[in-house]
Amino acid sequence: RVAEALVAIASPHLGVRSFGAFRMVPEPLAAAAHLVVGVSGRECMLQDDAGVYGMPLLMEMTADTEEMEYVAAMEAFRVRLLYCNVQNDFMVPYGTASLTPHLADLVFELDSFELPPGATLIDEDYDDVGCRVWFHFVLDEATDARYRLPSDGAALGHSRDFREVAERMGGMEWLMAARLRRLGWKVVGVDFQNMPVPIAHNRLLAVPRNPVQKWLNAPGKRAVEHMVSAMIEHDELFATEGGV
């Protein structure tokens, strides 16, 4: 059976070191991230060397290697969806979740926030508990010229001079974003109203680990319903096309 929908929800595809409050973490503390939040924390700060040629693992995962077909696995899906909190996600800010490193802030002035090119409005207003599935748009290598890979193809695969290649693109995050954008994604931006603290991360999935979190994250129900509907919609669409 053909793989249908890959759904990534508030995922730090580009790491977090260049986004939100993490930008203010001094380099020595970033290097010691694993002492506080373990190996995953070091990987998200792009401080590890677990990838080929000693590159960060998240960088390795943006291109296939001899041992792992990361990109081929993602390409196997007919559609790829990214659900992102537009703001107030301390753990995974919008820029890394949406493969958009030029938008690195944790909170935006929504009155002046410009919807991405070609975006379609979904919910103009918040629901009665303060959630709106705000917009969606198609993201690929043609969406923004700043993310086009060099024509010589040097940035497509891994090499020992990966740092030099990344610098030509503007940094690791920009190279990673450009590679992943080539796959084509549908990005869905979700926004929660009146959040005095940036705790939207678990709210996006209405995480109910305990009674307090169930109450705190309940506004995410609208977002979860949209995710389920989207997956059902794609499943039914591919079924009518004989997607087997």
Side-chain angles (χ1 to χ4, degrees):
R1 182 178 175 83
V2 175
E4 292 168 356
L6 169 64
V7 183
I9 304 167
S11 299
H13 304 281
L14 311 179
V16 297
R17 69 173 184 178
S18 298
F19 303 93
F22 295 103
R23 291 176 296 173
M24 296 180 285
V25 177
E27 187 68 21
L29 290 181
H34 65 288
L35 299 177
V36 181
V37 288
V39 175
S40 294
R42 187 171 185 178
E43 291 169 349
C44 283
M45 293 298 288
L46 304 184
Q47 290 288 333
D48 68 297
D49 58 359
V52 294
Y53 304 123
M55 68 181 61
L57 180 59
L58 285 176
M59 167 72 84
E60 179 189 280
M61 293 174 68
T62 61
D64 290 340
T65 69
E66 292 183 359
E67 296 182 355
M68 299 295 293
E69 295 185 344
Y70 300 108
V71 173
M74 290 185 282
E75 283 181 325
F77 291 87
R78 289 175 177 246
V79 64
R80 288 160 290 278
L81 305 173
L82 301 179
Y83 277 83
C84 321
N85 281 308
V86 175
Q87 61 175 348
N88 286 315
D89 190 330
F90 171 78
M91 295 179 65
V92 184
Y94 177 74
T96 183
S98 65
L99 306 179
T100 312
H102 69 274
L103 295 176
D105 291 336
L106 178 64
V107 179
F108 300 100
E109 293 293 335
L110 295 187
D111 291 341
S112 59
F113 180 82
E114 295 184 6
L115 295 186
T120 298
L121 192 65
I122 302 174
D123 294 340
E124 184 172 1
D125 299 316
Y126 298 97
D127 64 12
D128 57 359
V129 290
C131 175
R132 61 174 172 176
V133 179
W134 191 2
F135 58 82
H136 68 80
F137 67 99
V138 174
L139 182 76
D140 57 30
E141 59 184 341
T143 304
D144 190 327
R146 289 173 290 184
Y147 295 97
R148 289 176 185 164
L149 292 169
S151 57
D152 60 11
L156 290 176
H158 295 312
S159 63
R160 295 186 185 278
D161 60 346
F162 68 92
R163 294 187 188 279
E164 178 184 337
V165 175
E167 284 306 311
R168 294 206 306 266
M169 284 293 299
M172 284 193 196
E173 292 84 353
W174 285 73
L175 175 57
M176 294 160 68
R179 286 175 171 174
L180 292 173
R181 282 170 172 243
R182 295 178 66 247
L183 294 169
W185 303 82
K186 180 179 179 180
V187 180
V188 182
V190 179
D191 183 37
F192 294 97
Q193 188 178 34
N194 298 329
M195 295 197 70
V197 289
I199 55 172
H201 186 72
N202 286 340
R203 186 168 286 189
L204 186 57
L205 270 174
V207 175
R209 292 195 182 102
N210 54 56
V212 173
Q213 286 205 14
K214 183 177 181 179
W215 168 78
L216 190 64
N217 297 324
K221 181 181 178 182
R222 162 72 180 121
V224 174
E225 290 174 345
H226 189 276
M227 296 173 198
V228 173
S229 296
M231 286 186 282
I232 292 175
E233 176 185 344
H234 287 294
D235 185 69
E236 292 176 344
L237 174 63
F238 298 141
T240 60
E241 295 177 351
V244 293

